[in-house]
Amino acid sequence: MNVAVLGCGRWGAFNAWYANRIGHEVRLWGRKGSCHLAQLKESRQNEYLSLPEAVKLTDELAAAVDFAEIIIISISAQKLREFCRQLKVLPNLTEKKILLCMKGVEIGTGKRLTTVVTEELGTGVKVAVWVGPGHVQDFVREIPNCMVIASKEMQLTRELVTAFSSPLIRFYYGEDLLGTEIGAAAKNVMGLAAGMLDGLGFSSLKGALMARGTKELSRLIDKMGGDKMTVYGLSHLGDYEATLFSPFSNNRRFGEDFIKGRKFTKLAEGVYTVAALMDIAREYHLELPICATVYAIIHEHKDPQEELLKLFLRDNKTEQE
């Protein structure tokens, strides 16, 4: 099939590399002036991979979209609404399948990314999400993993799973779009907390973080109308190894560097997601203790050690609290 990948950062470049690898015709788009696109045009490489010549590079958005049967979008979650407004003027979008390979919740509205897409492009667009465990650094070394594709329509989900499954990535069908999106986004907040524990030398508390994190998010998803069991699948708990422990996790690295006073220059979506999750928690009158602690440390500049110890070593409670 003809696949256009919009966004040429770490995951966008990988999406193009992977789609080409499994036999699709691929166009990789980056905005005019993008340093990532300039680097790929110059050397066909970035710090993660080498792109084959068959992947065509372009900064012409209309041409990339017109070419595609499937559009993969891989950009910063907080820029999605603005980007959709650029796409909106282009023809025939309802004839294409849109696959979001990105995680997050919109700050200020608390809206899921598929909701942002349908609000801007119309309810007639076919939109799905691609989430779950895996790092570019592992995939390019031929280390396989399992991921999830979810949408409102199972037919669309099946078509996309068929289009992108391979021995390198086995895709599962996501049956709960809300739970899949919220769980995948919130997983990055747990990654921030894990990095903070690493930075403080409290890595042994990651077990408690995992147990409490899944419970916290299951309550939120249930309150929002999703299936609370989705959080125990690949989009959230199944992604903990890659996010809470891997040296390749940007969110874990951000948390550790934050504690140690080191500057972190790459995108850590959890920093933005935690602010949006606090808005959602207020809307649904629900306490999210881990998210609230991470928010207090990053955005309210509270003392990390004091806040984390208060979180994990609080008064005795049952495991269900």
Side-chain angles (χ1 to χ4, degrees), residues 119-137:
E119 283 184 351
E120 294 298 331
L121 301 183
T123 56
V125 296
K126 306 180 187 77
V127 59
V129 297
W130 167 353
V131 299
H135 287 294
V136 172
Q137 296 93 325

Side-chain angles (χ1 to χ4, degrees), residues 278-293:
M278 295 312 297
D279 290 336
I280 294 174
R282 284 187 287 270
E283 178 183 351
Y284 286 91
H285 307 288
L286 187 67
E287 289 188 7
L288 301 177
I290 297 172
C291 294
T293 298

Side-chain angles (χ1 to χ4, degrees), residues 4-273:
V5 180
L6 309 182
C8 58
R10 176 179 55 155
W11 275 102
F14 169 75
N15 296 145
W17 177 92
Y18 178 73
N20 170 262
R21 172 195 169 98
I22 61 176
H24 298 300
E25 295 292 325
V26 182
R27 301 289 183 272
L28 176 58
W29 172 87
R31 58 178 173 78
K32 288 181 171 64
S34 163
C35 59
H36 296 302
L37 183 63
Q39 181 182 13
L40 290 169
K41 282 185 173 182
E42 180 179 352
S43 65
R44 307 291 303 184
Q45 294 181 328
N46 59 23
E47 63 179 296
Y48 306 104
L49 52 76
S50 296
L51 279 180
E53 292 294 333
V55 174
K56 305 303 181 185
L57 303 173
T58 182
D59 59 9
E60 297 294 333
L61 183 60
V65 170
D66 182 63
F67 160 83
E69 298 165 87
I70 298 174
I71 299 170
I72 298 175
I73 302 178
S74 183
I75 62 174
S76 168
Q78 302 308 318
K79 296 180 179 177
L80 180 60
R81 188 177 295 275
E82 176 188 350
F83 186 63
C84 285
R85 289 170 181 168
Q86 297 177 49
L87 292 176
K88 190 174 184 177
V89 301
L90 302 178
N92 304 319
L93 287 179
T94 57
E95 299 174 9
K96 303 174 188 296
K97 302 176 181 73
I98 298 175
L99 184 54
L100 304 178
C101 188
M102 49 199 293
K103 302 163 185 171
V105 181
E106 188 177 51
I107 292 176
T109 67
K111 291 180 178 178
R112 295 178 287 123
L113 301 186
T114 57
T115 302
V116 171
V117 171
T118 54
E119 283 184 351
E120 294 298 331
L121 301 183
T123 56
V125 296
K126 306 180 187 77
V127 59
V129 297
W130 167 353
V131 299
H135 287 294
V136 172
Q137 296 93 325
D138 290 331
F139 285 131
V140 298
R141 293 166 52 214
E142 305 293 331
I143 298 173
N145 215 324
C146 303
M147 303 186 84
V148 179
I149 290 176
S151 72
K152 283 186 177 180
E153 303 294 336
M154 183 52 69
Q155 180 60 33
L156 174 61
T157 300
R158 292 184 183 279
E159 289 172 359
L160 290 169
V161 166
T162 299
F164 289 104
S165 290
S166 79
L168 187 60
I169 303 179
R170 178 185 177 182
F171 283 98
Y172 284 75
Y173 303 119
E175 297 181 305
D176 171 28
L177 180 60
L178 185 152
T180 297
E181 286 192 85
I182 294 297
K187 175 268 311 179
N188 286 334
V189 177
M190 301 303 155
L192 297 175
M196 291 175 184
L197 293 174
D198 286 338
L200 290 168
F202 296 158
S203 300
S204 59
L205 283 171
K206 285 186 185 180
L209 174 65
M210 294 167 67
R212 289 185 55 186
T214 48
K215 177 62 68 174
E216 182 170 311
L217 269 299
S218 71
R219 289 171 175 157
L220 176 61
I221 289 169
D222 183 58
K223 194 83 168 178
M224 294 178 71
D227 181 352
K228 64 182 180 181
M229 296 306 294
T230 300
V231 79
Y232 297 98
L234 287 169
S235 64
H236 189 81
L237 178 60
D239 206 352
Y240 272 13
E241 187 281 331
T243 306
L244 275 63
F245 296 93
S246 173
F248 302 137
S249 168
N250 280 357
N251 289 281
R252 193 209 62 79
R253 280 283 305 279
F254 178 96
E256 182 176 3
D257 287 356
F258 185 88
I259 295 298
K260 294 184 175 181
R262 299 190 297 238
K263 186 176 181 180
F264 188 78
T265 58
K266 295 181 179 179
L267 177 65
E269 285 283 9
V271 174
Y272 309 101
T273 299

Side-chain angles (χ1 to χ4, degrees), residues 193 196 212 216 274 278 288-300 302-304 306-312:
M196 291 175 184
R212 289 185 55 186
E216 182 170 311
V274 72
M278 295 312 297
L288 301 177
I290 297 172
C291 294
T293 298
V294 171
Y295 182 86
I297 293 169
I298 293 177
H299 295 285
E300 296 178 344
K302 298 287 184 67
D303 180 78
E306 180 180 337
E307 293 298 315
L308 287 164
L309 288 179
K310 184 168 61 177
L311 172 69
F312 288 106

